[in-house]
Amino acid sequence: MRLDKFLKVSRIIKRRGVANEACGLDRVSVNGKPAKPAKQLQVNDIILVKFGDKEVSFKVKEVPTGNVSKEKADSLYEPI
């Protein structure tokens, strides 16, 4: 699954367009490297997202094949 879609489906970022823009501005990195929106994610990848002055890290626990329910969104990642 693409990085921008994962950020939207997991509800880390609310809209895919915003996730796409954040990736374009180098505010998102995967495994310590700046990532483009089309980066294919795998289980155990570490995502770092910069929200203003704050940085938040997540570990990918599951990569879904499509949309997921609101209740299951939290189970896709683990905060670090």
Side-chain angles (χ1 to χ4, degrees), residues 44-62:
N44 293 326
D45 279 347
I46 305 294
I47 302 172
L48 175 73
V49 182
K50 297 176 187 173
F51 293 107
D53 295 341
K54 192 167 76 167
E55 292 183 349
V56 184
S57 295
F58 305 97
K59 182 177 183 179
V60 177
K61 290 174 43 179
E62 180 183 344

Side-chain angles (χ1 to χ4, degrees), residues 2-75:
R2 288 172 54 111
L3 173 60
D4 58 346
K5 186 166 184 179
F6 179 83
L7 291 172
K8 180 214 173 261
V9 168
S10 64
R11 299 178 191 269
I12 294 171
I13 296 179
K14 292 187 181 205
R15 283 176 268 141
R16 190 168 176 179
V18 175
N20 199 329
E21 184 179 331
C23 292
L25 295 173
D26 292 333
R27 294 185 180 180
V28 180
S29 61
V30 176
N31 298 326
K33 298 177 184 174
K36 294 186 178 185
K39 167 85 172 137
Q40 292 294 318
L41 290 180
Q42 297 178 357
V43 176
N44 293 326
D45 279 347
I46 305 294
I47 302 172
L48 175 73
V49 182
K50 297 176 187 173
F51 293 107
D53 295 341
K54 192 167 76 167
E55 292 183 349
V56 184
S57 295
F58 305 97
K59 182 177 183 179
V60 177
K61 290 174 43 179
E62 180 183 344
V63 179
T65 56
N67 290 331
V68 290
S69 66
K70 187 177 187 180
E71 292 79 24
K72 190 177 177 189
D74 290 343
S75 68

